[in-house]
Structures are given as C-alpha cells and as structure tokens.
Amino acid sequence: MVAFLIGLVFFAALVISLGMIFAVKNINVKLITYADEYAESYSQTKNSLNVFKGESIMFIGEENIAEAITDSRYSIASFEKIFPCTINVTLKERLETFAVSVGGFYSVYDSDGKFLRSSVENANANDGSPNVELTGIAIENLSYIAGIASCFKDNFKALRSIVTSINLDSRPEVEGYTEKLVFNMRCGLKIQIDDYTRYTNEKILSAYEKFCTLTDRQKLGGTLRSYRMGGEEGIINADYSVY
C-alpha cells in the first residue's frame, strides 16, 4: 500500500510537471493583409488566441485556432507547433471577392465563398471597386463555385478586374438540360463552361487558350464556349460565336 501511494504521488507529480512544461506560453501571430489600416482588427484577433495560453500544446490543433477566429476577417494560412510551449500562426486576410443581391442588399463573400458582411452597395471594402456578382447560385453551392472561380483566376491571371458577374444557367425542370456556368467579362465577352461540374479545369484552360487567339474586336462581345465533345472518349474544345 505504501509503495502504491508513493507511486501515485510520483505519477501525479509527473503529470503536473509535464502539464507545466507543455503549457502554451507563446502564441506568435504573423499577418498577411491587403488593408492599410489593420492594427485594431489584428489586435482583436490576436487577443482572441490568448485563451490557449496555459493549455496543453498537445491538445491544441489547427481546428481550434480556426474556431477561435471564425468571426474575424482572417483565416489560417499556416499553423505550427514548436515544442514544448510555442505556437506559430500565420493569418491571411479573407479576400473580399463575391457579392450576392438579397432583398435590396448585398451579401459579401470572400474568395472561398464564405460570408463576410452585408452591404447596401456592391463595393469592395478595400478598394471600392465592385465585387464579382453571383446570380442563380444557391448559397450552399457558393464554396464550390468559388473554387471554380479560383481556377479561372489561375488561368486568366485575374478575376475581379476582368469579370463583372458569374451566373449559373440551370433548368432542373428540363430533362437532360446541360447546366452552364457563365463568366461575364468586363470587356463584353461571355465565357460559357458547359456541364461545368465535369472536367472543369480542362475546360477553363481550353477557354483561356481560345481567348488568347481572339482579336480585340472579338473580345468586345459574343460568347466563348468550352465543352467536351464526343462523349467520354472525346476531347475538350472551345469555340467562339458572335451571339
């Protein structure tokens, strides 16, 4: 019994010691931002992470940090534990990108399709220029469409500066109807992705390659359509029409 009690005391001491050694003492926060004035929001966000100080680093994960800043203008770019007691976090400003008209107001979303704020006008909080307006797209599908828009941006090297709106042409009441995602360009051209949920990246790349062959006059109007022809064994193609 004495040996058991001594062992129990040593075990408790070990647990307490490890708890003290692995208790979070430092949370280093680095910020990636596009705004000129960010000191206040940065300070508030950093302070929200202080709740983890004193907690065991063993039980803190990236998901815990993400939950703590869920109401801020930032998301996690990187997360790193430095044992025994330091956490390094890099936060990036959620890039305001999309707008959806709802009842005379605009709901504004970031580049990942996550809600940011409501506004009476479609004007970006950072530069005052319009965000890309989304139409015909269900709220639950915004993140998916945002991913496609990101692919479009990667290929065309821009999004907000060249696209006014993105609309989904969907007619579920029509059997066999091919859904189309349309990027309405500021220059006047429409870029239409047929059956947009399949071979999406390849179709956008094909659209970009065709876009590069158009004359300046052609880019002022008409439709550039990207689609798969010939069934599953076919090829991805893109063509231009004045309509």
Side-chain angles (χ1 to χ4, degrees), residues 94-100 108-115 132-135 137-154 158-160 166-168 181 183 196 200-201 204:
R94 294 167 61 191
L95 187 58
E96 188 173 307
T97 305
F98 305 106
V100 177
V108 179
Y109 296 83
D110 66 13
S111 57
D112 295 322
K114 297 180 180 179
F115 180 78
V132 178
E133 187 168 355
L134 304 179
T135 59
I137 299 169
I139 298 299
E140 59 269 22
N141 293 331
L142 284 182
S143 294
Y144 181 72
I145 298 300
I148 296 177
S150 178
C151 176
F152 184 95
K153 181 179 181 180
D154 290 342
L159 184 66
R160 281 184 56 231
I166 302 172
N167 67 276
L168 176 60
L181 192 66
F183 293 80
Y196 73 98
T200 308
N201 295 350
I204 291 177

Side-chain angles (χ1 to χ4, degrees), residues 141-180:
N141 293 331
L142 284 182
S143 294
Y144 181 72
I145 298 300
I148 296 177
S150 178
C151 176
F152 184 95
K153 181 179 181 180
D154 290 342
N155 283 277
F156 283 79
K157 314 305 184 226
L159 184 66
R160 281 184 56 231
S161 61
I162 63 174
V163 176
T164 59
S165 62
I166 302 172
N167 67 276
L168 176 60
D169 181 2
S170 176
R171 304 179 189 179
E173 71 280 3
V174 179
E175 185 177 354
Y177 186 79
T178 300
E179 292 188 324
K180 307 169 183 65

Side-chain angles (χ1 to χ4, degrees), residues 2 97 148 185 189 206 242:
V2 173
T97 305
I148 296 177
M185 309 287 281
L189 179 70
S206 180
V242 296

